[in-house]
């Protein structure tokens, strides 16, 4: 009884077979079919390699939402070299949410040489070239995001030669924390002093002829420090043409959460516009000589996530390539074979010529050759 049920089940399964087997004696091969098969296999191999390269690639997905984190602190990473001695300049932050000056104790004043060494000039030239390409090709930012990892560094390389030149500049570097509101980070003449109604600098003790706010921004970023990320002001160099010159940078900061396969960080992107002018009170150009970076935070937060094609999608696309090429090449081969047979049949019909006909008494003709021919003498 069990064997009978197995046989019925097996016969039912055989009837459901969607891939019937054809005996080899019924299969006919041809040179045209072999050529088409070779072309099909080659095409499948090329498309499979291309599809695998697409499967290995990743892309960045951008999502936007309102930034609800207003209680945390904003970190500012700074590395700026000013062409003045350290005892003549002071850096601080004026927070618009408070009347007091935000503390800038996290900054280090280091005497330095303003002119770069040949290796450092080459680094600056390459960085400026990247900045110009980023302004033209915005998609390059995705490449920078995907290649970012904590062990990389885009900082200015150390000076390789032991220069005997005395330090003529001041490198101000480090980081500080401020409230997540608009503010003004500035470097001007004189050290900052606390003041209950604002802020002030001891500029009266510095000779006016020693003012020189030529500067180089080796690094400026907001949020968590990601060394491999290139920021808009990295590598910027400005040369002052007058002692009383003001450099202004208006910065809009966008909170950014970066999630890639190499790193996850809470950083910030920013856009910047620049302005510089000479202070001349007689001509109506008022202000204070120095470097002023006025920043404001956007209310939107961007989440950048690196995504990858799932394996099931890659498998489905691969099956589509194989099945589609087989079906398409088979159909084209059948159509081509049908057209060739029609053309050949027409040529055969055109080359056939009937023999002399034999007329009958009733007017009809016989187109058949006589089987026997009697020769009479």
């Amino acid at each position: 009884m069990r064997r009978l049920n197995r046989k019925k089940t097996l016969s039912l399964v055989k009837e459901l077979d969607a891939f019937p087997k054809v005996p080899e004696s019924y299969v006919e091969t041809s040179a045209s079919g072999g050529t088409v098969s070779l072309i099909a296999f080659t095409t499948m191999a090329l498309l499979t390699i291309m599809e695998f390269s697409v499967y290995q690639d990743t892309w960045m997905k951008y999502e936007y939402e309102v930034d609800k984190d207003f209680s945390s602190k904003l970190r500012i990473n700074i590395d700026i070299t000013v062409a003045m001695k350290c005892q003549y300049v002071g850096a601080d932050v004026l927070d618009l949410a408070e009347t007091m000056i935000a503390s800038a104790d996290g900054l280090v004043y280091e005497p330095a040489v303003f002119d770069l060494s040949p290796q450092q000039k080459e680094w600056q030239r390459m960085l400026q070239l990247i900045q110009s390409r980023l302004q033209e090709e915005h998609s390059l930012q995705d490449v920078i995001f995907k290649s970012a990892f904590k062990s990389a560094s885009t900082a200015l390389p150390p000076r390789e030669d032991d220069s005997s030149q005395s330090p003529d500049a001041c490198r101000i570097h480090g980081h500080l924390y401020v409230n997540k509101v608009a503010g003004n980070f500035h470097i001007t003449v004189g050290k900052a002093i606390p003041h209950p109604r604002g802020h002030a600098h001891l500029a009266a003790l510095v000779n006016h002829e020693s003012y020189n706010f030529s500067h180089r921004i080796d690094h400026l970023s907001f949020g968590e420090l990601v060394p491999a990320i290139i920021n808009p002001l990295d590598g910027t160099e400005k040369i002052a043409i007058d002692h009383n010159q003001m450099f202004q940078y208006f910065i809009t900061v966008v909170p950014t959460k970066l999630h890639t396969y190499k790193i996850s960080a809470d950083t910030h992107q920013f856009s910047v516009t620049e302005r510089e002018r000479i202070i001349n009170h007689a001509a109506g150009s008022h202000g204070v000589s120095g470097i002023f970076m006025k920043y404001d935070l956007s209310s939107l937060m961007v989440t950048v996530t690196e995504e990858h094609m799932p394996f099931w999608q890659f498998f489905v696309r691969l099956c589509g390539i194989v099945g589609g090429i087989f079906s398409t090449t088979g159909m084209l081969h059948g159509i081509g074979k049908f057209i060739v047979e029609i053309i050949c049949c027409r040529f055969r019909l055109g080359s056939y010529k009937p023999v002399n006909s034999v007329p009958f008494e009733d007017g009809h003709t016989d187109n058949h050759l006589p089987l026997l021919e009697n020769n009479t003498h």
Side-chain angles (χ1 to χ4, degrees):
M1 189 69 179
R2 292 181 178 178
R3 291 183 179 179
L4 183 61
N5 292 333
R6 290 180 180 177
K7 288 182 179 180
K8 289 182 178 180
T9 304
L10 185 60
S11 61
L12 180 62
V13 172
K14 286 183 178 180
E15 291 179 359
L16 296 176
D17 187 7
F19 308 98
K21 308 298 184 295
V22 180
E24 294 184 0
S25 59
Y26 294 167
V27 177
E28 181 181 359
T29 60
S30 62
S32 61
T35 303
V36 173
S37 299
L38 184 61
I39 295 174
F41 291 142
T42 304
T43 306
M44 279 190 291
L46 294 175
L47 291 180
T48 301
I49 294 173
M50 295 173 62
E51 191 66 27
F52 185 72
S53 64
V54 173
Y55 171 71
Q56 286 184 319
D57 193 16
T58 59
W59 61 90
M60 307 305 294
K61 179 182 178 181
Y62 292 82
E63 296 177 336
Y64 303 89
E65 59 180 321
V66 177
D67 185 17
K68 300 178 181 179
D69 183 13
F70 52 85
S71 60
S72 62
K73 296 290 184 178
L74 175 64
R75 171 170 170 162
I76 306 179
N77 307 295
I78 300 166
D79 191 352
I80 302 176
T81 302
V82 185
M84 293 179 66
K85 293 185 178 181
C86 292
Q87 62 265 28
Y88 296 155
V89 294
D92 60 315
V93 178
L94 179 61
D95 195 341
L96 296 185
E98 300 175 350
T99 58
M100 299 297 293
I101 303 171
S103 175
D105 296 335
L107 299 179
V108 178
Y109 294 78
E110 179 184 340
V113 178
F114 188 77
D115 293 333
L116 297 176
S117 64
Q119 181 184 1
Q120 292 173 332
K121 288 182 179 179
E122 181 65 20
W123 170 87
Q124 186 184 38
R125 187 187 68 82
M126 291 299 298
L127 189 57
Q128 291 176 350
L129 179 61
I130 295 174
Q131 294 283 17
S132 62
R133 292 299 301 272
L134 282 173
Q135 294 178 1
E136 298 174 358
E137 301 290 340
H138 298 285
S139 59
L140 293 178
Q141 187 65 47
D142 292 351
V143 180
I144 294 177
F145 280 151
K146 288 191 289 186
S147 62
F149 53 96
K150 293 184 178 180
S151 60
S153 178
T154 56
L156 179 71
R159 183 177 292 273
E160 72 280 0
D161 57 343
D162 297 331
S163 177
S164 59
Q165 183 180 356
S166 59
D168 59 349
C170 182
R171 180 191 174 198
I172 304 173
H173 61 96
H175 65 273
L176 47 91
Y177 292 91
V178 298
N179 295 322
K180 293 186 69 174
V181 294
N184 181 7
F185 169 77
H186 52 272
I187 302 173
T188 186
V189 179
K191 299 299 181 181
I193 57 175
H195 195 278
R197 295 184 179 179
H199 80 291
H201 291 261
L202 294 174
L205 303 178
V206 182
N207 186 9
H208 185 269
E209 298 298 326
S210 61
Y211 288 11
N212 184 5
F213 283 101
S214 300
H215 61 280
R216 182 178 62 252
I217 304 176
D218 296 326
H219 180 77
L220 179 68
S221 64
F222 297 84
E224 183 179 347
L225 181 61
V226 184
I229 298 297
I230 299 177
N231 297 278
L233 287 177
D234 293 353
T236 301
E237 183 175 279
K238 298 291 184 180
I239 304 299
I241 59 176
D242 191 272
H243 296 292
N244 290 336
Q245 192 156 351
M246 172 190 288
F247 296 92
Q248 292 177 307
Y249 299 92
F250 302 92
I251 301 172
T252 301
V253 183
V254 181
T256 304
K257 291 184 179 294
L258 180 63
H259 301 287
T260 68
Y261 290 105
K262 295 181 179 180
I263 189 175
S264 293
D266 291 336
T267 182
H268 292 70
Q269 302 179 81
F270 65 90
S271 61
V272 59
T273 56
E274 306 174 9
R275 183 188 179 191
E276 57 182 84
R277 58 190 175 92
I278 298 175
I279 303 301
N280 188 350
H281 298 285
S285 178
H286 303 291
V288 180
S289 302
I291 305 167
F292 296 85
M293 297 183 178
K294 299 181 179 181
Y295 59 89
D296 193 5
L297 276 79
S298 173
S299 59
L300 291 178
M301 181 178 65
V302 182
T303 302
V304 184
T305 308
E306 185 177 6
E307 292 193 344
H308 185 271
M309 180 188 296
F311 178 76
W312 66 266
Q313 187 175 353
F314 167 71
F315 183 74
V316 170
R317 291 164 66 99
L318 201 62
C319 292
I321 289 175
V322 175
I325 290 178
F326 260 119
S327 302
T328 304
T329 52
M331 182 178 62
L332 293 177
H333 178 251
I335 294 174
K337 189 175 181 180
F338 177 73
I339 294 174
V340 170
E341 288 179 354
I342 291 178
I343 295 175
C344 292
C345 288
R346 286 185 177 180
F347 274 115
R348 289 175 183 174
L349 291 174
S351 61
Y352 176 76
K353 295 180 180 181
V355 297
N356 295 330
S357 59
V358 180
F360 286 97
E361 293 181 356
D362 57 358
H364 294 281
T365 58
D366 183 10
N367 294 327
H368 298 280
L369 291 174
L371 296 178
L372 295 176
E373 187 178 19
N374 296 326
N375 296 326
T376 58
H377 299 281

